[in-house]
Amino acid sequence: MTETLILVNLFHELALKGQNRPLFLKRAKVHVREALKGLGATLEADWAMALLFRLEEGAWPEAQSRLQDTLGVESFARVLRTPPDLQALEAALAGVLAGERFASFRITAKRSDKAFPLTSPEIERRLGAFVKERTGAQVRLRGAEREFVVRILPGAALLEVAHYPGPGGLPPGVSGKVVALLSGGIDSPVAAYRLMRRGAEVVLVHFHPFPLLSGASREKAMALAERLARFQHRIRLHLVPFSEVQRHIIVEAPTPYRVVLYRRYMLRIAEAIAKEEGALALCTGDSLGQVASQTLENLHAVNQATTLPVFRPLIGSDKQEIMAEAKRIGTYPISILPDEECCTLFAPKHPVTRARLAVVLEAEKRLPTEELIALALKEREVVTYAWPGRKPLKEAGEKAFIMEHGPPRG
Ligand code: ATP
Ligand code: MG
């Protein structure tokens, strides 16, 4: 059995990050190494924009599935390592060709050992002639059916056997912290993922109607957080009871304004959590015009409840696009499970679509806002999810109850 070697190429944008470049690259490399934890991966080489790992036998399928979800990875490839000479590369190519059929191909040589006696075009010509003779296939520089990438390094050569795209993006945490409002629906997990992909460290907040209604939405939020941990490796979820806030709104506010007011209190509580967490922005899954609560007038009235920027990465996306992305990141099957979420609780038949701020503020005068926020914060639970199998850190001076989740640890 030959060794399993994986070449991981980092996202091209990481090379452009100016003064932050060393920091971003370092973080991306740590993130990739963490993703391969438990698979017996040893780092064989560390280049500016790429890493080479040797894997334990049998670990490849799991490594492939993890790397496909590892932010900061542009692409990865299974490679064969040979001595840096053409005969050795030809022998390796012969082995690969034995199992393949194609009508056209190209060789792409990348030479980082400038002492190697042949130039890249020369290597491509020589190996191209070899493959052509063996297979009868035509060389085609554009649109070839099969590409063979060969890298000449000091002391070794690598032949890519199979190449896979990664998700790209920036590694978690390089862009600072954001608090994302996570419902049990399809949109908000995708919104949170979009910010993770831009390097934000996302902290999740879910508002649930338990114990007034079932705990189904709370369970869904927990399952979604566990799934999202796959991209960030460590993620905190605040589970906030919301029925007390709702009870007051139902009594004091005009019926059509209930949902707008629910949303304003959600933003206020999320803002308080952002302060504790040191987060500088909030994130929601709103998409313009998707439902009655997401008209521009309503979004405007809701937004006035906080001074933090509220990011809405899905504002210009339609439901089809959002659903496709939810499927890709694996949150979709969880999001479509049935639940009883807090906003359907006493939701008005005819919600306002053009909320007026004056009406909102008038109703809120009758609400004990500070007390409601303090109570919600006090009664919340906080759960931390770690992936793959990393031990959650206990935070000092924890105010809230922390449960530990994640796969069993050895
Ligand atoms: P989603 O699919 O994310 O539930 P939606 O299309 O159902 O979104 P709304 O119900 O109007 O839209 O919610 C808009 C946004 O408000 C959500 O994307 C989410 O960010 C936030 N939100 C709504 N309900 C909750 C909740 N119970 N807990 C936390 N955030 C919520
Ligand atoms: Mg929803």
Side-chain angles (χ1 to χ4, degrees):
M1 183 66 201
T2 50
E3 56 182 1
T4 304
L5 287 171
I6 314 289
L7 180 70
V8 178
N9 299 304
L10 299 179
F11 187 45
H12 61 87
E13 201 184 307
L14 290 164
L16 311 171
K17 288 292 169 196
Q19 278 193 335
N20 287 328
R21 186 174 174 211
L23 182 85
F24 278 54
L25 283 174
K26 193 169 155 210
R27 184 72 197 99
K29 288 175 178 178
V30 168
H31 189 59
V32 171
R33 295 181 70 166
E34 269 175 19
L36 294 175
K37 271 236 170 95
L39 300 180
T42 40
L43 186 66
E44 295 273 304
D46 179 347
W47 297 288
M49 290 298 288
L51 297 171
L52 181 68
F53 292 95
R54 188 156 44 80
L55 286 190
E56 259 173 19
E57 227 184 292
W60 163 246
E62 177 62 17
Q64 182 188 0
S65 130
R66 290 188 190 179
L67 288 170
Q68 265 159 0
D69 287 337
T70 303
L71 298 177
V73 172
E74 172 133 321
S75 65
F76 57 99
R78 276 195 74 159
V79 296
L80 296 174
R81 177 165 45 187
T82 73
D85 64 68
L86 286 188
Q87 286 72 28
L89 276 167
E90 285 174 358
L93 264 172
V96 175
L97 293 175
E100 292 198 32
R101 277 179 178 282
F102 45 82
S104 63
F105 74 99
R106 67 165 289 165
I107 308 276
T108 305
K110 298 181 180 177
R111 196 180 57 129
S112 66
D113 178 14
K114 299 301 171 198
F116 193 73
L118 301 177
T119 65
S120 295
E122 281 165 353
I123 298 166
E124 289 170 359
R125 269 200 298 278
R126 291 274 298 270
L127 294 179
F130 176 81
V131 172
K132 192 171 172 192
E133 191 194 300
R134 287 260 162 160
T135 61
Q138 292 303 309
V139 174
R140 183 173 296 162
L141 296 185
R142 268 165 211 239
E145 214 175 288
R146 181 72 162 95
E147 181 180 16
F148 294 95
V149 179
V150 172
R151 287 167 201 267
I152 309 290
L153 313 166
L158 300 178
L159 168 66
E160 289 193 9
V161 179
H163 190 92
Y164 305 85
L170 305 176
V174 295
S175 308
K177 235 189 221 185
V178 173
V179 167
L181 284 80
L182 182 78
S183 70
I186 294 170
D187 304 336
S188 46
V190 175
Y193 173 76
R194 288 270 183 96
L195 287 182
M196 284 181 189
R197 226 178 142 253
R198 292 307 304 165
E201 182 186 344
V202 171
V203 174
L204 301 168
V205 180
H206 174 69
F207 299 92
H208 63 78
F210 185 75
L212 213 59
L213 295 181
S214 83
S217 85
R218 186 175 158 279
E219 302 290 324
K220 273 174 76 176
M222 290 163 84
L224 286 168
E226 192 167 358
R227 178 70 205 178
L228 291 171
R230 191 174 172 87
F231 307 104
Q232 193 167 285
H233 294 185
R234 187 183 151 70
I235 195 163
R236 213 162 23 254
L237 167 66
H238 295 247
L239 292 157
V240 183
F242 203 58
S243 353
E244 200 50 31
V245 174
Q246 291 182 279
R247 213 169 56 78
H248 279 81
I249 291 173
I250 288 159
V251 174
E252 300 291 352
T255 310
Y257 274 77
R258 280 177 186 168
V259 176
V260 168
L261 280 151
Y262 293 165
R263 291 280 181 276
R264 283 173 57 89
Y265 279 81
M266 285 183 185
L267 287 190
R268 288 191 172 103
I269 296 165
E271 180 178 88
I273 292 172
K275 285 214 177 97
E276 287 177 9
E277 291 274 2
L280 296 181
L282 306 178
C283 161
T284 73
D286 295 299
S287 156
L288 190 61
Q290 194 189 82
V291 289
S293 57
Q294 294 170 18
T295 61
L296 202 46
E297 288 86 348
N298 288 6
L299 290 174
H300 175 264
V302 168
N303 232 43
Q304 307 304 309
T306 177
T307 54
L308 289 181
V310 182
F311 297 146
R312 296 180 172 87
L314 306 181
I315 200 70
S317 303
D318 60 49
K319 201 74 192 184
Q320 294 305 320
E321 293 165 343
I322 299 170
M323 273 164 52
E325 193 164 348
K327 286 177 186 166
R328 205 161 56 238
I329 65 173
T331 53
Y332 184 80
I334 306 166
S335 292
I336 59 173
L337 296 171
D339 66 3
E340 286 185 299
E341 59 150 330
C342 58
C343 291
T344 51
L345 184 64
F346 309 114
K349 261 213 187 69
H350 301 290
V352 65
T353 52
R354 297 180 170 212
R356 291 196 301 128
L357 197 57
V359 177
V360 167
L361 296 177
E362 186 54 38
E364 286 182 357
K365 272 193 200 152
R366 298 188 291 273
L367 291 167
T369 299
E370 293 310 316
E371 282 135 69
L372 288 172
I373 294 173
L375 183 72
L377 291 175
K378 185 165 141 281
E379 309 248 291
R380 95 195 110 140
E381 308 154 86
V382 183
V383 195
T384 301
Y385 294 88
W387 189 91
R390 207 147 54 103
K391 193 172 182 224
L393 304 168
K394 269 277 184 197
E395 286 135 68
E398 201 60 71
K399 277 183 253 93
F401 172 50
I402 299 257
M403 290 185 273
E404 291 188 4
H405 275 254
R409 281 169 253 123

